[in-house]
């Protein structure tokens, strides 16, 4: 299992519901995805980002990661918060996106139990971002073309710097 990049067509597909009776072991799936998310310093990772067409994602940090299967949004706050977002499938591409400050969500946990949770601030942003991955929607779809072009120019510069730094063994 490995991270797919922005050009992979699976990122534009709608994922299918996770079937707890017929699909892979949910705990194994979450356990295999978590190191990928944390290796790249992410706080969210959707199954399509590792090439799997399931309605499932992880959110959180190494101390408390949460696996969400067949997630839904029950309600969102009217208040939008604008903030910078990145995506593990788009390394170095950062965009300013408006997201709800609060999201009430329903999902099935990795033990097959239905959950209802309220997420706020960065976790609401993350939940919405990952949920959109399951519908083939990318954060790059949420900005104007010119904004995206400018961000991609910054991304190229950023990746060149990282590449040069890596060639020098991480030294500045």
């Amino acid at each position: 299992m490995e991270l797919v990049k922005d050009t992979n067509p699976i990122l534009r597909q709608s994922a299918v519901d996770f079937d707890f009776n017929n699909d892979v072991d949910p705990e194994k799936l979450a356990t295999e995805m978590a190191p990928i998310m944390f290796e790249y310093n992410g706080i969210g990772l959707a199954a399509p980002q590792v090439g799997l067409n399931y309605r499932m994602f992880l959110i959180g940090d190494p101390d408390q990661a949460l696996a969400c299967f067949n997630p839904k949004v029950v309600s969102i706050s009217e208040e939008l918060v604008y903030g910078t977002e990145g995506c593990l499938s788009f390394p170095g591409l950062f965009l300013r996106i408006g997201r709800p400050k609060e999201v009430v969500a329903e999902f099935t946990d990795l033990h097959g139990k239905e959950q209802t949770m309220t997420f706020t601030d960065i976790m609401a942003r993350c939940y919405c971002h990952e949920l959109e991955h399951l519908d083939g929607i990318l954060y790059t779809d949420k900005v104007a073309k010119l904004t995206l072009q400018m961000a991609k120019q910054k991304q190229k510069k950023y990746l060149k710097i990282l590449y040069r730094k890596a060639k020098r063994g991480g030294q500045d």
Side-chain angles (χ1 to χ4, degrees), residues 2-5 10-11 33 36 44-52 57 87-90 129-130 133:
E2 61 183 49
L3 192 62
V4 302
K5 297 299 180 200
I10 197 168
L11 295 178
M33 286 176 61
I36 295 167
L45 182 66
Q49 290 181 275
V50 291
L52 301 172
F57 58 74
C87 181
L88 297 181
S89 293
F90 293 77
H129 177 109
E130 299 310 326
H133 269 300

Side-chain angles (χ1 to χ4, degrees), residues 25-151:
D25 179 285
E27 199 165 342
K28 183 176 188 251
L29 177 59
T31 301
E32 289 179 1
M33 286 176 61
I36 295 167
M37 181 171 86
F38 301 134
E39 176 185 348
Y40 293 99
N41 299 313
I43 60 168
L45 182 66
Q49 290 181 275
V50 291
L52 301 172
N53 193 27
Y54 298 130
R55 293 192 71 76
M56 179 272 181
F57 58 74
L58 294 176
I59 57 174
D61 60 38
D63 295 327
Q64 190 174 6
L66 180 65
C68 302
F69 293 84
N70 303 324
K72 298 176 182 94
V73 169
V74 177
S75 66
I76 60 172
S77 63
E78 288 186 27
E79 182 182 356
L80 284 183
V81 177
Y82 284 83
T84 302
E85 270 181 45
C87 181
L88 297 181
S89 293
F90 293 77
L93 184 65
F94 301 102
L95 301 169
R96 188 167 162 77
I97 307 287
R99 298 280 187 191
K101 180 172 178 56
E102 185 175 278
V103 174
V104 178
E106 289 180 348
F107 59 91
T108 305
D109 68 17
L110 55 83
H111 304 293
K113 185 177 177 193
E114 297 293 322
Q115 301 287 337
T116 301
M117 293 182 78
T118 300
F119 298 100
T120 57
D121 301 318
I122 189 73
M123 294 314 293
R125 173 176 300 282
C126 186
Y127 188 93
C128 291
H129 177 109
E130 299 310 326
L131 184 61
E132 287 178 348
H133 269 300
L134 305 183
D135 294 322
I137 299 168
L138 303 174
Y139 76 134
T140 55
D141 299 336
K142 300 193 157 294
V143 297
K145 279 187 176 183
L146 182 59
T147 301
L148 182 57
Q149 287 173 340
M150 290 169 44

